[in-house]
Coordinates of all heavy atoms in Angstrom, one line a residue:
E374 N 0.8 -1.2 0.0 CA 0.0 0.0 0.0 C 0.9 1.3 0.0 O 0.6 2.2 -0.7 CB -0.9 0.0 1.2 CG -2.0 -1.1 1.2 CD -2.8 -1.0 2.5 OE1 -2.2 -1.3 3.6 OE2 -4.0 -0.7 2.4
T375 N 1.9 1.2 0.8 CA 2.8 2.4 0.9 C 3.4 2.7 -0.5 O 3.5 3.9 -0.9 CB 3.9 2.1 1.9 OG1 3.3 1.9 3.2 CG2 4.8 3.3 2.0
A376 N 3.9 1.7 -1.2 CA 4.5 1.9 -2.5 C 3.5 2.5 -3.5 O 3.8 3.4 -4.2 CB 5.1 0.6 -3.0
L377 N 2.3 2.0 -3.4 CA 1.3 2.4 -4.4 C 0.8 3.9 -4.0 O 0.6 4.7 -4.9 CB 0.1 1.5 -4.4 CG 0.4 0.1 -5.0 CD1 -0.8 -0.9 -4.7 CD2 0.6 0.2 -6.5
M378 N 0.7 4.1 -2.8 CA 0.3 5.5 -2.3 C 1.4 6.5 -2.6 O 1.2 7.6 -3.0 CB -0.1 5.5 -0.9 CG -1.3 4.7 -0.5 SD -1.5 4.3 1.2 CE -1.8 6.0 1.9
L379 N 2.6 6.0 -2.5 CA 3.8 6.9 -2.8 C 3.8 7.2 -4.3 O 4.1 8.4 -4.7 CB 5.1 6.2 -2.4 CG 6.3 7.0 -2.5 CD1 6.3 8.3 -1.6 CD2 7.6 6.2 -2.2
H380 N 3.5 6.2 -5.1 CA 3.4 6.5 -6.6 C 2.4 7.6 -6.8 O 2.7 8.5 -7.6 CB 3.0 5.2 -7.3 CG 2.6 5.4 -8.7 ND1 3.4 5.5 -9.7 CD2 1.3 5.7 -9.2 CE1 2.8 5.7 -10.9 NE2 1.5 5.8 -10.6
D381 N 1.2 7.5 -6.2 CA 0.2 8.6 -6.4 C 0.7 9.9 -5.9 O 0.5 11.0 -6.6 CB -1.0 8.3 -5.6 CG -1.9 7.2 -6.3 OD1 -1.5 6.7 -7.4 OD2 -3.0 6.9 -5.8
L382 N 1.4 10.0 -4.8 CA 1.9 11.2 -4.2 C 3.0 11.9 -5.2 O 2.9 13.1 -5.5 CB 2.5 11.0 -2.9 CG 3.2 12.2 -2.2 CD1 2.1 13.2 -1.8 CD2 3.9 11.8 -0.9
L383 N 3.9 11.1 -5.6 CA 4.9 11.6 -6.5 C 4.3 12.0 -7.9 O 4.8 13.0 -8.4 CB 6.0 10.5 -6.7 CG 6.8 10.1 -5.5 CD1 7.8 9.0 -5.9 CD2 7.5 11.2 -4.8
S384 N 3.3 11.3 -8.3 CA 2.6 11.7 -9.6 C 1.9 13.0 -9.4 O 2.0 13.9 -10.3 CB 1.7 10.6 -10.0 OG 2.3 9.4 -10.3
A385 N 1.2 13.2 -8.3 CA 0.5 14.4 -8.0 C 1.4 15.6 -7.9 O 1.1 16.7 -8.3 CB -0.3 14.3 -6.7
R386 N 2.7 15.3 -7.4 CA 3.6 16.4 -7.3 C 4.4 16.6 -8.6 O 5.3 17.5 -8.7 CB 4.6 16.1 -6.2 CG 3.9 16.1 -4.8 CD 5.0 16.0 -3.7 NE 6.0 17.1 -3.9 CZ 7.3 16.9 -3.6 NH1 7.7 15.7 -3.1 NH2 8.1 17.9 -3.8
G387 N 4.2 15.8 -9.6 CA 4.8 16.0 -10.9 C 6.3 15.5 -10.9 O 7.0 16.0 -11.8
I388 N 6.7 14.6 -10.0 CA 8.1 14.2 -10.0 C 8.2 12.7 -10.1 O 9.3 12.1 -10.0 CB 8.8 14.7 -8.7 CG1 8.1 14.1 -7.5 CG2 8.9 16.2 -8.6 CD1 8.8 14.4 -6.1
R389 N 7.1 12.0 -10.5 CA 7.2 10.6 -10.7 C 8.1 10.2 -11.8 O 8.8 9.1 -11.7 CB 5.8 10.0 -10.9 CG 5.8 8.5 -11.0 CD 6.2 7.8 -9.7 NE 6.2 6.4 -9.7 CZ 7.2 5.6 -10.1 NH1 8.4 6.1 -10.4 NH2 7.1 4.3 -10.1
D390 N 8.1 11.0 -12.9 CA 8.9 10.6 -14.0 C 10.4 10.7 -13.8 O 11.2 10.1 -14.5 CB 8.6 11.5 -15.2 CG 8.8 13.0 -15.0 OD1 9.0 13.4 -13.8 OD2 8.8 13.8 -15.9
R391 N 10.8 11.4 -12.7 CA 12.2 11.4 -12.3 C 12.5 10.7 -11.0 O 13.5 11.0 -10.3 CB 12.8 12.8 -12.3 CG 12.1 13.8 -11.3 CD 12.9 15.1 -11.4 NE 12.4 16.1 -10.4 CZ 11.4 17.0 -10.7 NH1 10.8 17.0 -11.9 NH2 11.0 17.9 -9.8
S392 N 11.6 9.7 -10.7 CA 11.8 9.0 -9.5 C 11.6 7.5 -9.8 O 11.0 7.1 -10.8 CB 10.7 9.3 -8.4 OG 10.7 10.7 -8.1
R393 N 12.3 6.7 -8.9 CA 12.1 5.2 -9.0 C 11.6 4.8 -7.6 O 12.1 5.2 -6.6 CB 13.5 4.6 -9.3 CG 13.4 3.1 -9.3 CD 14.7 2.4 -9.6 NE 14.6 1.0 -9.5 CZ 14.2 0.2 -10.5 NH1 13.8 0.6 -11.6 NH2 14.2 -1.2 -10.3
V394 N 10.7 3.8 -7.7 CA 10.1 3.3 -6.4 C 10.3 1.8 -6.4 O 10.0 1.1 -7.4 CB 8.6 3.6 -6.3 CG1 8.0 2.9 -5.0 CG2 8.3 5.1 -6.3
D395 N 11.0 1.3 -5.4 CA 11.2 -0.2 -5.2 C 10.7 -0.6 -3.9 O 10.7 0.1 -2.9 CB 12.7 -0.5 -5.3 CG 13.3 -0.3 -6.7 OD1 13.1 -1.3 -7.5 OD2 13.9 0.7 -7.0
L396 N 10.2 -1.9 -3.9 CA 9.6 -2.5 -2.7 C 10.4 -3.8 -2.4 O 10.5 -4.7 -3.2 CB 8.1 -2.8 -2.9 CG 7.4 -3.6 -1.8 CD1 7.5 -2.9 -0.4 CD2 6.0 -3.8 -2.2
V397 N 10.9 -3.9 -1.2 CA 11.7 -5.1 -0.7 C 10.9 -5.7 0.4 O 10.5 -5.1 1.4 CB 13.1 -4.7 -0.2 CG1 13.8 -5.9 0.4 CG2 13.9 -4.0 -1.3
M398 N 10.5 -7.0 0.2 CA 9.8 -7.7 1.2 C 10.3 -9.1 1.4 O 10.9 -9.7 0.4 CB 8.3 -7.9 0.8 CG 7.5 -6.6 0.9 SD 5.7 -6.8 0.5 CE 5.2 -7.9 1.8
P399 N 10.2 -9.7 2.6 CA 10.8 -11.0 2.9 C 9.8 -12.1 2.4 O 10.1 -13.3 2.7 CB 11.0 -11.0 4.4 CG 9.9 -10.1 4.9 CD 9.8 -9.0 3.8
L400 N 8.7 -11.8 1.8 CA 7.7 -12.8 1.4 C 7.9 -13.0 -0.1 O 8.3 -12.2 -0.8 CB 6.3 -12.3 1.7 CG 6.0 -11.9 3.1 CD1 4.6 -11.3 3.2 CD2 6.3 -13.0 4.1
G401 N 7.4 -14.2 -0.5 CA 7.5 -14.5 -1.9 C 6.4 -13.9 -2.8 O 6.5 -13.9 -4.0
A402 N 5.4 -13.4 -2.1 CA 4.2 -12.8 -2.7 C 3.8 -11.7 -1.8 O 4.0 -11.8 -0.6 CB 3.1 -13.8 -3.0
P403 N 3.1 -10.6 -2.3 CA 2.7 -9.5 -1.5 C 1.7 -10.0 -0.3 O 1.9 -9.5 0.8 CB 2.0 -8.6 -2.4 CG 2.6 -8.8 -3.7 CD 2.9 -10.3 -3.8
I404 N 0.8 -10.9 -0.6 CA -0.1 -11.4 0.4 C -0.2 -12.9 0.1 O -1.1 -13.4 -0.6 CB -1.5 -10.8 0.3 CG1 -1.4 -9.2 0.3 CG2 -2.4 -11.3 1.4 CD1 -2.7 -8.5 0.1
P405 N 0.7 -13.7 0.7 CA 0.8 -15.1 0.3 C -0.5 -16.0 0.5 O -0.7 -16.8 -0.4 CB 1.9 -15.6 1.3 CG 2.8 -14.4 1.5 CD 1.8 -13.3 1.6
P406 N -1.3 -15.7 1.5 CA -2.5 -16.6 1.6 C -3.5 -16.4 0.5 O -4.4 -17.2 0.3 CB -3.1 -16.2 3.0 CG -2.0 -15.6 3.7 CD -1.2 -14.9 2.7
S407 N -3.4 -15.2 -0.2 CA -4.4 -14.9 -1.3 C -3.7 -14.7 -2.6 O -3.2 -13.6 -2.9 CB -5.2 -13.6 -0.9 OG -6.0 -13.3 -2.0
P408 N -3.5 -15.7 -3.4 CA -2.9 -15.6 -4.7 C -3.6 -14.5 -5.6 O -2.9 -13.8 -6.3 CB -3.0 -17.0 -5.3 CG -3.1 -17.9 -4.2 CD -3.9 -17.2 -3.1
A409 N -4.9 -14.4 -5.5 CA -5.6 -13.4 -6.3 C -5.2 -12.0 -5.9 O -5.0 -11.1 -6.8 CB -7.1 -13.6 -6.2
A410 N -5.1 -11.7 -4.6 CA -4.7 -10.4 -4.1 C -3.3 -10.1 -4.5 O -2.9 -9.0 -5.0 CB -4.9 -10.3 -2.6
S411 N -2.4 -11.1 -4.4 CA -1.0 -10.9 -4.8 C -0.9 -10.6 -6.2 O -0.1 -9.7 -6.6 CB -0.2 -12.2 -4.4 OG -0.2 -12.4 -3.0
A412 N -1.6 -11.4 -7.1 CA -1.6 -11.1 -8.5 C -2.0 -9.7 -8.9 O -1.4 -9.0 -9.7 CB -2.4 -12.2 -9.3
A413 N -3.1 -9.3 -8.2 CA -3.6 -7.9 -8.5 C -2.6 -6.8 -8.1 O -2.4 -5.8 -8.8 CB -4.9 -7.7 -7.7
L414 N -1.9 -7.0 -7.0 CA -0.8 -6.1 -6.5 C 0.4 -6.1 -7.5 O 0.9 -5.1 -7.8 CB -0.4 -6.4 -5.1 CG -1.4 -6.0 -4.0 CD1 -1.0 -6.6 -2.7 CD2 -1.5 -4.5 -3.9
L415 N 0.8 -7.3 -7.9 CA 1.9 -7.4 -8.8 C 1.6 -6.7 -10.1 O 2.4 -6.1 -10.8 CB 2.3 -8.8 -9.0 CG 2.9 -9.5 -7.8 CD1 3.2 -11.0 -8.1 CD2 4.2 -8.9 -7.4
T416 N 0.3 -6.8 -10.6 CA -0.1 -6.1 -11.8 C -0.1 -4.6 -11.6 O 0.4 -3.9 -12.5 CB -1.5 -6.6 -12.2 OG1 -1.5 -8.0 -12.5 CG2 -2.0 -5.8 -13.4
A417 N -0.5 -4.2 -10.4 CA -0.5 -2.8 -10.1 C 1.0 -2.2 -10.1 O 1.3 -1.1 -10.6 CB -1.2 -2.5 -8.8
F418 N 1.9 -3.0 -9.5 CA 3.3 -2.6 -9.5 C 3.8 -2.5 -10.9 O 4.5 -1.5 -11.3 CB 4.2 -3.7 -8.8 CG 3.8 -3.8 -7.3 CD1 4.2 -5.0 -6.7 CD2 3.1 -2.9 -6.6 CE1 3.9 -5.2 -5.3 CE2 2.8 -3.0 -5.3 CZ 3.2 -4.2 -4.6
A419 N 3.5 -3.5 -11.8 CA 4.0 -3.4 -13.1 C 3.5 -2.3 -13.9 O 4.2 -1.6 -14.7 CB 3.7 -4.8 -13.8
E420 N 2.2 -2.0 -13.7 CA 1.6 -0.8 -14.4 C 2.2 0.5 -14.0 O 2.2 1.4 -14.8 CB 0.1 -0.8 -14.1 CG -0.7 -2.0 -14.8 CD -2.1 -2.0 -14.3 OE1 -2.5 -1.3 -13.3 OE2 -2.9 -2.8 -14.9
R421 N 2.6 0.6 -12.8 CA 3.2 1.8 -12.3 C 4.7 1.9 -12.3 O 5.3 2.9 -11.8 CB 2.7 2.1 -10.8 CG 1.1 2.3 -10.8 CD 0.6 2.0 -9.4 NE -0.8 2.3 -9.3 CZ -1.8 1.5 -9.7 NH1 -1.5 0.4 -10.4 NH2 -3.1 1.9 -9.6

């Protein structure tokens, strides 16, 4: 959520095009118990 909200914040400020956002997690998927939620988040990361 933080990474996605940060994308919105940087976009609203007009500096997203000169910024890079990376997310480091110790899990193999964003929400391991829910493959569907993880897939949706990974798609959102790729789109942004």
Side-chain angles (χ1 to χ4, degrees):
E374 294 178 291
T375 300
L377 292 169
M378 294 165 68
L379 185 62
H380 167 85
D381 282 3
L382 177 66
L383 297 178
S384 298
R386 293 189 53 216
I388 59 174
R389 183 64 179 93
D390 59 346
R391 59 176 183 269
S392 299
R393 176 180 175 85
V394 178
D395 286 282
L396 171 60
V397 177
M398 287 184 66
L400 307 176
I404 307 177
S407 176
S411 293
L414 286 167
L415 292 175
T416 296
F418 297 160
E420 291 173 347
R421 293 159 176 78

